[in-house]
Amino acid sequence: MVYQLTSGRRSSFVALVLALGGFVAQTQLTHQVLTVMNYNRPFFVIYVTQSVFTVSGIFHLLYLAMTTRMSISSLCRGLQITIAQRLRVRSSSSDHIRFPYGRFLFIAFTLTAGFTTPTLLWCIGISLSSKPSLTRHKVIWNTNAFFAYLISVAILGHQHQHKKFAAVVLATVGVVLVVYGGNIDSGNDGLHPTRHHTRLVGDLLALLASILYAVYQLFYDAFIEPPLNPLPILGTLPTSESIPLVQEYKDAIYPPPYGLESSFWTSMIGLCTMSLLWIAFPVLQSLGVEKFSLPDDSVVVLAILGAALSGAMFMTGTMILLASWGAITTSITSLLTIVLVFLTDWILGATISTWSIIGSFVTAFAMIVLSYSSPATILIPATQELDT
């Protein structure tokens, strides 16, 4: 059995770039599809986007197989051991691992439901909003940092940290400045009262989505924590000289390379989505909620495909960061999307208010505060191997 002990930060930076870039691209493309291109089928767009998540783990395995000497079979065996350990499975046998399929499916379905519900609510909120409201929805979504901290301290009983709390407050203030300081949607925009009501519903859906997404992040954080150490699920606890050897898994790469487990769970969310959520299409059509129809415009097809691939990038990067940094740090880090969103809006010709710029700088400063409140050591699996 092979053990990998790793450290370094470059891989986390790559995951951060994937998460931030994927979010911005997915949001812009999703809005274009649902509003500008008039393909108002939010559930179908979500179904396609999340189904594409399935390729995350596959691509990661292929990448590792092509760039290292690790075989796909060894990597998969290491994943099997890791998941069994996550699910707290121990065996009295010294030569066999009884994989907990029931618990495994339960976690996969729970992660799928936990991510799909807020995403769908947010997507519906976008479809009810005007173009100026898109920026507001993005920052409302990113307030999940505040809700994640609030829930973790008030409900889960986690220790209160003054610097981390200050970072959350600063980030939230930055969001408030961005959303309300610019008066972009002040009541003088000439919208019909019905449209104002529709927009309010969209905002409330975005807020609910943000809260539920914070709950999802905390659930995944609790499931993946404490940080994975090379502790066996078989036999006695290992030492540097004594690591349990199981014939069937003697060539397993364990723990798996950095991010592979997160990519695997991302793929499982995609697979569960593809296998189960199609059942909702006839139900939604019969209720008149959403009529199922495939896009007949090649531009719309390409935009949906782009949103799906961007969503897979965002989800993979976010799941990796959640496993490395935890829910609160990842949530606050994701607020960098606000700065990127304003840059893309400015490039696309939108007018950026002074308050929006100030709010972005406040959010960036919150990131600096967070960097000093978080532990300096973030373990990242990579290079050093021990063979037994």
Side-chain angles (χ1 to χ4, degrees):
M1 186 178 296
V2 178
Y3 278 77
Q4 290 192 321
L5 305 177
T6 58
S7 60
R9 296 185 179 180
R10 184 175 62 180
S11 297
S12 285
F13 177 76
V14 173
L16 177 61
V17 171
L18 284 175
L20 298 183
F23 178 84
V24 174
Q26 181 193 14
T27 303
Q28 296 286 1
L29 289 170
T30 300
H31 180 263
Q32 290 291 318
V33 169
L34 296 179
T35 58
V36 178
M37 298 180 181
N38 294 318
Y39 185 74
N40 193 10
R41 305 287 189 275
F43 185 82
F44 177 78
V45 173
I46 290 298
Y47 176 78
V48 173
T49 299
Q50 290 190 194
S51 295
V52 173
F53 289 178
T54 307
V55 306
S56 174
I58 299 173
F59 282 176
H60 201 160
L61 282 171
L62 292 174
Y63 169 79
L64 290 171
M66 290 186 296
T67 58
T68 69
R69 292 178 296 176
M70 304 176 191
S71 68
I72 292 179
S73 60
S74 297
L75 290 167
C76 290
R77 290 189 184 98
L79 276 174
Q80 186 176 356
I81 296 174
T82 301
I83 293 168
Q85 179 184 326
R86 293 288 184 212
L87 298 175
R88 306 298 189 265
V89 173
R90 294 181 179 273
S91 174
S92 59
S93 172
S94 60
D95 60 356
H96 182 63
I97 293 177
R98 300 179 61 183
F99 191 79
Y101 290 102
R103 279 185 254 182
F104 168 73
L105 290 176
F106 173 77
I107 291 295
F109 292 150
T110 302
L111 289 174
T112 302
F115 181 78
T116 302
T117 302
T119 304
L120 183 59
L121 290 174
W122 181 71
C123 195
I124 294 173
I126 287 181
S127 68
L128 297 175
S129 302
S130 59
K131 174 62 177 178
S133 300
L134 177 60
T135 296
R136 184 173 66 251
H137 275 213
K138 293 169 186 173
V139 293
I140 290 176
W141 170 271
N142 280 313
T143 57
N144 58 74
F146 173 78
F147 295 114
Y149 184 85
L150 184 64
I151 294 171
S152 67
V153 174
I155 298 179
L156 301 181
H158 292 176
Q159 183 178 4
H160 172 69
Q161 300 180 26
H162 296 291
K163 289 184 179 179
K164 185 171 287 188
F165 177 72
V168 171
V169 171
L170 282 173
T172 305
V173 169
V175 168
V176 171
L177 289 175
V178 170
V179 176
Y180 300 107
N183 294 320
I184 296 177
D185 298 314
S186 61
N188 299 321
D189 51 12
L191 290 178
H192 190 274
T194 302
R195 184 59 180 168
H196 278 294
H197 174 73
T198 302
R199 190 179 58 192
L200 176 61
V201 173
D203 290 349
L204 292 176
L205 288 176
L207 180 62
L208 179 59
S210 178
I211 297 173
L212 292 178
Y213 185 63
V215 173
Y216 162 79
Q217 288 182 307
L218 289 169
F219 172 79
Y220 182 73
D221 188 19
F223 169 66
I224 212 71
E225 292 288 336
L228 181 61
N229 294 316
L231 300 178
I233 59 173
L234 305 172
T236 59
L237 294 178
T239 65
S240 58
E241 296 82 15
S242 174
I243 296 176
L245 179 62
V246 183
Q247 185 66 26
E248 184 181 356
Y249 299 94
K250 64 179 180 179
D251 62 341
I253 307 296
Y254 172 73
Y258 176 69
L260 182 59
E261 184 188 357
S262 297
S263 297
F264 171 79
W265 286 114
T266 303
S267 287
M268 288 308 305
I269 291 175
L271 187 60
C272 289
T273 299
M274 191 184 342
S275 304
L276 298 176
L277 290 192
W278 63 269
I279 301 173
F281 285 118
V283 176
L284 293 176
Q285 180 148 331
S286 63
L287 295 176
V289 176
E290 178 175 317
K291 181 180 179 181
F292 176 77
S293 63
L294 295 173
D296 54 6
D297 189 336
S298 59
V299 177
V300 176
V301 173
L302 290 175
I304 293 176
L305 180 59
L309 293 175
S310 301
M313 290 171 52
F314 160 71
M315 186 60 175
T316 303
T318 299
M319 293 283 275
I320 292 174
L321 292 177
L322 282 172
S324 300
W325 296 350
I328 297 174
T329 302
T330 301
S331 296
I332 298 178
T333 303
S334 67
L335 291 173
L336 283 173
T337 55
I338 296 176
V339 179
L340 297 177
V341 163
F342 282 125
L343 287 176
T344 55
D345 286 345
W346 176 71
I347 292 173
L348 294 174
T351 301
I352 305 300
S353 69
T354 302
W355 284 109
S356 297
I357 296 174
I358 294 174
S360 297
F361 277 107
V362 170
T363 303
F365 181 71
M367 294 287 304
I368 298 175
V369 173
L370 179 67
S371 66
Y372 284 98
S373 65
S374 301
T377 56
I378 298 177
L379 298 181
I380 300 170
T383 56
Q384 188 178 359
E385 297 185 356
L386 297 174
D387 293 337
T388 61

